[in-house]
PDB file of all heavy atoms in Angstrom:
ATOM      1  N   LEU A1029     -13.788 -33.719  55.308  1.00 96.00           N
ATOM      2  CA  LEU A1029     -14.804 -32.912  54.502  1.00 96.00           C
ATOM      3  C   LEU A1029     -14.902 -33.477  53.063  1.00 96.00           C
ATOM      4  O   LEU A1029     -15.910 -33.577  52.460  1.00 96.00           O
ATOM      5  CB  LEU A1029     -14.406 -31.466  54.589  1.00 96.00           C
ATOM      6  CG  LEU A1029     -15.320 -30.666  53.789  1.00 96.00           C
ATOM      7  CD1 LEU A1029     -16.806 -30.635  54.293  1.00 96.00           C
ATOM      8  CD2 LEU A1029     -14.843 -29.042  53.817  1.00 96.00           C
ATOM      9  N   LEU A1033     -18.334 -34.446  51.175  1.00 96.00           N
ATOM     10  CA  LEU A1033     -18.726 -33.975  49.959  1.00 96.00           C
ATOM     11  C   LEU A1033     -18.916 -35.059  48.875  1.00 96.00           C
ATOM     12  O   LEU A1033     -19.864 -35.015  48.103  1.00 96.00           O
ATOM     13  CB  LEU A1033     -17.715 -32.903  49.438  1.00 96.00           C
ATOM     14  CG  LEU A1033     -17.456 -31.609  50.159  1.00 96.00           C
ATOM     15  CD1 LEU A1033     -16.314 -30.887  49.735  1.00 96.00           C
ATOM     16  CD2 LEU A1033     -18.740 -30.779  50.122  1.00 96.00           C
ATOM     17  N   ARG A1034     -18.026 -36.020  48.911  1.00 92.00           N
ATOM     18  CA  ARG A1034     -18.240 -37.195  47.854  1.00 92.00           C
ATOM     19  C   ARG A1034     -19.535 -37.940  48.273  1.00 92.00           C
ATOM     20  O   ARG A1034     -20.196 -38.390  47.377  1.00 92.00           O
ATOM     21  CB  ARG A1034     -16.957 -38.069  47.934  1.00 92.00           C
ATOM     22  CG  ARG A1034     -15.860 -37.609  47.053  1.00 92.00           C
ATOM     23  CD  ARG A1034     -14.662 -38.513  47.031  1.00 92.00           C
ATOM     24  NE  ARG A1034     -13.955 -38.581  48.222  1.00 92.00           N
ATOM     25  CZ  ARG A1034     -13.017 -37.729  48.620  1.00 92.00           C
ATOM     26  NH1 ARG A1034     -12.597 -36.708  47.815  1.00 92.00           N
ATOM     27  NH2 ARG A1034     -12.452 -37.830  49.783  1.00 92.00           N
ATOM     28  N   VAL A1051     -15.640 -30.102  42.812  1.00 91.00           N
ATOM     29  CA  VAL A1051     -14.777 -31.161  43.261  1.00 91.00           C
ATOM     30  C   VAL A1051     -14.142 -31.940  42.108  1.00 91.00           C
ATOM     31  O   VAL A1051     -12.912 -32.264  42.170  1.00 91.00           O
ATOM     32  CB  VAL A1051     -15.647 -32.252  44.069  1.00 91.00           C
ATOM     33  CG1 VAL A1051     -14.865 -33.501  44.432  1.00 91.00           C
ATOM     34  CG2 VAL A1051     -16.244 -31.485  45.401  1.00 91.00           C
ATOM     35  N   GLU A1055     -11.326 -27.690  42.530  1.00 87.00           N
ATOM     36  CA  GLU A1055     -11.422 -26.367  43.095  1.00 87.00           C
ATOM     37  C   GLU A1055     -12.066 -26.438  44.542  1.00 87.00           C
ATOM     38  O   GLU A1055     -12.865 -27.293  44.781  1.00 87.00           O
ATOM     39  CB  GLU A1055     -12.255 -25.481  42.218  1.00 87.00           C
ATOM     40  CG  GLU A1055     -11.513 -25.120  40.944  1.00 87.00           C
ATOM     41  CD  GLU A1055     -12.530 -24.639  39.872  1.00 87.00           C
ATOM     42  OE1 GLU A1055     -13.684 -24.385  40.196  1.00 87.00           O
ATOM     43  OE2 GLU A1055     -12.137 -24.549  38.808  1.00 87.00           O
ATOM     44  N   VAL A1057     -14.624 -25.686  47.265  1.00 95.00           N
ATOM     45  CA  VAL A1057     -15.986 -25.372  47.250  1.00 95.00           C
ATOM     46  C   VAL A1057     -16.289 -24.191  48.055  1.00 95.00           C
ATOM     47  O   VAL A1057     -15.453 -23.820  48.927  1.00 95.00           O
ATOM     48  CB  VAL A1057     -16.953 -26.505  47.626  1.00 95.00           C
ATOM     49  CG1 VAL A1057     -16.625 -27.860  46.851  1.00 95.00           C
ATOM     50  CG2 VAL A1057     -16.960 -26.835  49.090  1.00 95.00           C
ATOM     51  N   GLY A1083      -8.628 -32.259  56.010  1.00 91.00           N
ATOM     52  CA  GLY A1083      -9.039 -31.549  54.823  1.00 91.00           C
ATOM     53  C   GLY A1083      -9.773 -30.136  55.146  1.00 91.00           C
ATOM     54  O   GLY A1083     -10.114 -29.473  54.226  1.00 91.00           O
ATOM     55  N   ARG A1086      -8.960 -25.145  55.054  1.00 93.00           N
ATOM     56  CA  ARG A1086      -8.049 -25.089  53.876  1.00 93.00           C
ATOM     57  C   ARG A1086      -7.716 -23.749  53.434  1.00 93.00           C
ATOM     58  O   ARG A1086      -7.010 -23.512  52.520  1.00 93.00           O
ATOM     59  CB  ARG A1086      -8.667 -25.812  52.730  1.00 93.00           C
ATOM     60  CG  ARG A1086      -8.065 -27.194  52.553  1.00 93.00           C
ATOM     61  CD  ARG A1086      -8.873 -27.971  51.452  1.00 93.00           C
ATOM     62  NE  ARG A1086      -8.109 -28.911  50.737  1.00 93.00           N
ATOM     63  CZ  ARG A1086      -8.529 -30.162  50.624  1.00 93.00           C
ATOM     64  NH1 ARG A1086      -9.485 -30.632  51.343  1.00 93.00           N
ATOM     65  NH2 ARG A1086      -7.848 -31.065  49.899  1.00 93.00           N
ATOM     66  N   GLN A1090     -11.827 -20.196  56.541  1.00 94.00           N
ATOM     67  CA  GLN A1090     -12.282 -21.424  57.224  1.00 94.00           C
ATOM     68  C   GLN A1090     -11.541 -21.538  58.598  1.00 94.00           C
ATOM     69  O   GLN A1090     -12.166 -21.981  59.569  1.00 94.00           O
ATOM     70  CB  GLN A1090     -12.021 -22.675  56.367  1.00 94.00           C
ATOM     71  CG  GLN A1090     -12.827 -22.696  55.089  1.00 94.00           C
ATOM     72  CD  GLN A1090     -12.491 -23.909  54.169  1.00 94.00           C
ATOM     73  OE1 GLN A1090     -11.740 -24.769  54.575  1.00 94.00           O
ATOM     74  NE2 GLN A1090     -12.976 -23.905  53.035  1.00 94.00           N
ATOM     75  N   ARG A1153      -9.568 -40.874  40.625  1.00 85.00           N
ATOM     76  CA  ARG A1153     -10.389 -39.756  40.977  1.00 85.00           C
ATOM     77  C   ARG A1153     -10.201 -38.680  40.008  1.00 85.00           C
ATOM     78  O   ARG A1153      -9.174 -38.380  39.514  1.00 85.00           O
ATOM     79  CB  ARG A1153      -9.944 -39.179  42.399  1.00 85.00           C
ATOM     80  CG  ARG A1153     -10.590 -39.838  43.559  1.00 85.00           C
ATOM     81  CD  ARG A1153     -10.044 -39.343  44.899  1.00 85.00           C
ATOM     82  NE  ARG A1153      -9.928 -37.941  45.072  1.00 85.00           N
ATOM     83  CZ  ARG A1153      -9.692 -37.318  46.237  1.00 85.00           C
ATOM     84  NH1 ARG A1153      -9.550 -38.074  47.308  1.00 85.00           N
ATOM     85  NH2 ARG A1153      -9.455 -36.087  46.306  1.00 85.00           N
ATOM     86  N   ARG A1164      -4.031 -27.758  41.899  1.00 84.00           N
ATOM     87  CA  ARG A1164      -4.388 -27.877  43.325  1.00 84.00           C
ATOM     88  C   ARG A1164      -3.151 -27.578  44.143  1.00 84.00           C
ATOM     89  O   ARG A1164      -3.411 -26.935  45.285  1.00 84.00           O
ATOM     90  CB  ARG A1164      -4.948 -29.268  43.572  1.00 84.00           C
ATOM     91  CG  ARG A1164      -6.363 -29.457  43.089  1.00 84.00           C
ATOM     92  CD  ARG A1164      -6.894 -30.855  43.557  1.00 84.00           C
ATOM     93  NE  ARG A1164      -7.155 -30.946  44.964  1.00 84.00           N
ATOM     94  CZ  ARG A1164      -7.576 -32.028  45.516  1.00 84.00           C
ATOM     95  NH1 ARG A1164      -7.990 -33.078  44.765  1.00 84.00           N
ATOM     96  NH2 ARG A1164      -7.863 -32.076  46.852  1.00 84.00           N
TER      97      ARG A1164
HETATM   98  P1  AMP B1358     -10.016 -34.243  49.517  1.00 77.58           P
HETATM   99  O1  AMP B1358     -10.730 -35.549  49.636  1.00 77.58           O
HETATM  100  O2  AMP B1358      -9.681 -33.573  50.924  1.00 77.58           O
HETATM  101  O3  AMP B1358      -8.801 -34.179  48.608  1.00 77.58           O
HETATM  102  O4  AMP B1358     -11.125 -33.100  48.895  1.00 77.58           O
HETATM  103  C1  AMP B1358     -11.649 -33.349  47.682  1.00 77.58           C
HETATM  104  C2  AMP B1358     -12.332 -32.067  47.143  1.00 77.58           C
HETATM  105  O5  AMP B1358     -13.295 -31.593  47.991  1.00 77.58           O
HETATM  106  C3  AMP B1358     -11.367 -30.869  47.062  1.00 77.58           C
HETATM  107  O6  AMP B1358     -10.669 -30.801  45.816  1.00 77.58           O
HETATM  108  C4  AMP B1358     -12.435 -29.777  47.079  1.00 77.58           C
HETATM  109  O7  AMP B1358     -13.112 -29.646  45.823  1.00 77.58           O
HETATM  110  C5  AMP B1358     -13.403 -30.214  48.128  1.00 77.58           C
HETATM  111  N1  AMP B1358     -12.974 -29.760  49.483  1.00 77.58           N
HETATM  112  C6  AMP B1358     -12.452 -30.699  50.484  1.00 77.58           C
HETATM  113  N2  AMP B1358     -12.207 -29.906  51.580  1.00 77.58           N
HETATM  114  C7  AMP B1358     -12.512 -28.655  51.286  1.00 77.58           C
HETATM  115  C8  AMP B1358     -12.406 -27.470  51.991  1.00 77.58           C
HETATM  116  N3  AMP B1358     -11.947 -27.400  53.291  1.00 77.58           N
HETATM  117  N4  AMP B1358     -12.744 -26.313  51.391  1.00 77.58           N
HETATM  118  C9  AMP B1358     -13.264 -26.270  50.206  1.00 77.58           C
HETATM  119  N5  AMP B1358     -13.311 -27.384  49.410  1.00 77.58           N
HETATM  120  C10 AMP B1358     -12.970 -28.548  50.005  1.00 77.58           C
END
Side-chain angles (χ1 to χ4, degrees):
L1029 182 58
L1033 293 170
R1034 280 185 288 276
V1051 172
E1055 289 162 7
V1057 310
R1086 257 175 155 119
Q1090 293 176 10
R1153 271 173 51 168
R1164 283 185 71 176

